[in-house]
Amino acid sequence: MKRILTGDRPTGPLHLGHYVGSLQNRIKLQNEDYEMFNIIADFQVLTDRMETDEVEENIRELVLDYLSVGLDPKKTNIFIQSKVPQLSELFVYISMLVTVSRAQQNPTIKEEVQATAGGKMSLGMLNMPVSQAADILAFNADLIPVGEDQLPHIEQTRDVVKTFNNTFGEVFKMPKALISKSPRLMGLDAENKMSKSRNNAVFLSDSKDEVIKKIKKAVTDSKKDIVYDKDKRLALANLLMMYHLFSGKDIKDIEKKYEGLGYKEFKEGLSDVINKFLDPIREKRKEFEKDEKYISQILKEGTEKASEEAEKTLKEVRKAMKYDYKKLGF
Ligand code: ATP
Ligand code: MG
């Protein structure tokens, strides 16, 4: 069976960008013939910050977000990166195969460093795509449903596969990114991608009033008419795109609906659309919210299964690299 590896950093709640960029694909694929592994990449939190007070609670919230949008733990193994030691071991091996200059070419890393780490690049940040390669390769995953920002990371994983297989023999499959129709939803600031860490997101767990408040404040321009023009009116184009994505209506029909009206009416309409989309997600969240034990159980079982599968791959890796030390009795 083909495998999928995907995941998120526990840096905050999931947002609309996650939904259209990756979650939608995950929900669809878990019902097809794939074995799904969903990593909660807690080591990655440290790449751009040292505050760890909220990591544990964020992990819990992530699982709640997953359950609320319809990820099914029976079909998707949800697990915690730091609790699968095989991932760290593989990371050590493969980081030896990557040159510093290759790592420095990754454009997403440069962007992240500017956006969230105040321009300071830690070695962990530089190495993050290699750590992610270890996460993917430990499961020999075929497909990786990700947003556009992740493409350079997947390219690095593919480079690692080539180097490893050429050096030590064919152990790894060549993984492929799976990009959705909206691989980069912009944030409400109309400058950056929507992001947990950039204060520009509508979260899947936002209340009705929060959505209304955020959309009211969303950046626009000084013009009045509601017309899609991605080159000249990026902020509005992004809001129209959201309206389209979460209502299913064609952009042309949305323009027509708001002919002769202005931002006030359009923004009210957009809030309604988003709130209607979020309502069933909110309902589901209520079902799961109180059941602390269920969330721990999902994570325990998912992490156990992930460790078992990663250990199978690591056995092959150690053997190929002659690090299994059979003669020494290991
Ligand atoms: P942070 O700002 O803390 O890095 P994030 O919002 O970028 O958080 P991640 O956990 O880094 O979220 O990313 C999880 C997945 O969601 C990745 O596959 C990423 O490509 C995808 N993703 C994140 N933001 C967007 C977006 N705005 N549009 C589409 N996909 C996105
Ligand atoms: Mg990110």
Side-chain angles (χ1 to χ4, degrees):
M1 220 200 288
K2 289 211 167 173
R3 277 193 170 168
I4 290 182
L5 185 284
T6 175
D8 309 276
R9 306 204 294 165
T11 43
L14 294 180
H15 51 66
L16 296 176
H18 292 119
Y19 192 85
V20 293
S22 172
L23 289 171
Q24 220 169 8
N25 267 333
R26 296 184 212 178
I27 297 158
K28 180 169 158 268
L29 292 167
Q30 75 174 354
N31 294 318
E32 295 174 13
D33 251 0
Y34 288 101
E35 203 178 350
M36 296 267 297
F37 291 88
N38 191 114
I39 188 168
I40 298 182
D42 57 342
F43 281 145
Q44 281 191 21
V45 174
L46 295 163
T47 56
D48 61 1
R49 70 201 74 191
M50 289 300 130
E51 301 85 46
T52 52
D53 288 348
E54 283 170 7
V55 176
E56 189 168 2
E57 180 55 21
N58 285 342
I59 292 176
R60 203 183 79 86
E61 289 289 331
L62 257 189
V63 178
L64 262 179
D65 278 333
Y66 291 154
L67 296 171
S68 308
V69 296
L71 274 189
D72 177 352
K74 288 200 191 76
K75 297 175 181 159
T76 299
N77 282 300
I78 301 171
F79 68 97
I80 302 176
Q81 183 184 34
S82 68
K83 299 294 173 222
V84 180
Q86 289 85 352
L87 303 179
S88 303
E89 182 183 348
L90 185 55
F91 173 44
V92 171
Y93 295 138
I94 64 175
S95 63
M96 309 299 172
L97 307 179
V98 183
T99 63
V100 172
S101 62
R102 172 66 185 91
Q104 282 169 335
Q105 281 165 20
N106 186 314
T108 296
I109 292 297
K110 291 181 204 162
E111 191 188 317
E112 290 289 322
V113 166
Q114 290 315 323
T116 59
K120 263 205 260 173
M121 172 136 40
S122 68
L123 263 184
M125 171 72 101
L126 183 63
N127 234 339
M128 193 261 269
V130 185
S131 162
Q132 191 172 308
D135 303 336
I136 294 168
L137 298 178
F139 301 97
N140 241 323
D142 301 273
L143 263 192
I144 327 292
V146 284
E148 193 180 63
D149 59 309
Q150 296 282 318
L151 287 179
H153 302 350
I154 308 297
E155 259 330 293
Q156 264 188 265
T157 304
R158 292 167 63 86
D159 283 357
V160 167
V161 170
K162 276 183 220 146
T163 311
F164 188 100
N165 286 356
N166 282 337
T167 315
F168 301 110
E170 291 280 323
V171 170
F172 297 122
K173 289 197 235 169
M174 191 57 84
K176 257 203 283 192
L178 177 70
I179 285 290
S180 78
K181 277 184 223 130
S182 12
R184 187 186 177 91
L185 190 69
M186 295 284 282
L188 300 177
D189 56 359
E191 260 179 51
N192 291 293
K193 82 169 190 74
M194 191 175 279
S195 150
K196 295 191 218 91
S197 312
R198 291 174 203 177
N199 205 12
N200 65 0
V202 175
F203 297 120
L204 301 177
S205 47
D206 278 345
S207 69
K208 276 199 162 89
D209 285 347
E210 277 164 332
V211 170
I212 294 170
K213 243 198 243 159
K214 283 182 179 179
I215 298 297
K216 235 187 215 161
K217 277 204 229 145
V219 171
T220 50
D221 54 27
S222 54
K223 295 212 170 111
K224 291 211 168 61
D225 50 340
I226 305 301
V227 176
Y228 187 87
D229 182 343
K230 201 168 180 220
D231 298 324
K232 296 204 184 95
R233 302 181 67 189
L234 181 63
L236 174 59
N238 188 43
L239 296 178
L240 273 163
M241 183 49 71
M242 276 188 215
Y243 198 121
H244 158 68
L245 288 170
F246 296 103
S247 69
K249 284 202 172 80
D250 285 343
I251 302 248
K252 282 271 157 262
D253 292 336
I254 306 168
E255 286 174 341
K256 224 177 259 161
K257 186 173 157 96
Y258 290 98
E259 229 169 48
L261 302 170
Y263 274 122
K264 182 173 173 291
E265 293 82 3
F266 171 68
K267 282 185 162 183
E268 280 167 8
L270 177 58
S271 298
D272 278 350
V273 161
I274 294 173
N275 274 326
K276 260 203 199 104
F277 166 77
L278 290 179
D279 269 341
I281 297 176
R282 291 176 182 133
E283 281 306 305
K284 267 197 135 177
R285 174 181 299 274
K286 273 194 222 143
E287 270 175 50
F288 295 112
E289 219 156 29
K290 289 171 212 114
D291 203 344
E292 296 266 341
K293 272 200 198 129
Y294 183 48
I295 291 179
S296 309
Q297 185 198 334
I298 290 170
L299 286 168
K300 283 239 173 75
E301 285 172 11
T303 304
E304 225 164 83
K305 165 91 174 146
S307 296
E308 274 167 32
E309 294 306 316
E311 180 57 23
K312 287 183 197 161
T313 311
L314 262 291
K315 281 209 168 83
E316 280 183 54
V317 170
R318 293 180 204 116
K319 194 168 161 215
M321 295 183 74
K322 304 190 172 58
Y323 269 62
D324 51 352
Y325 302 148
K326 281 260 166 63
K327 281 185 229 152
L328 290 171
F330 285 91

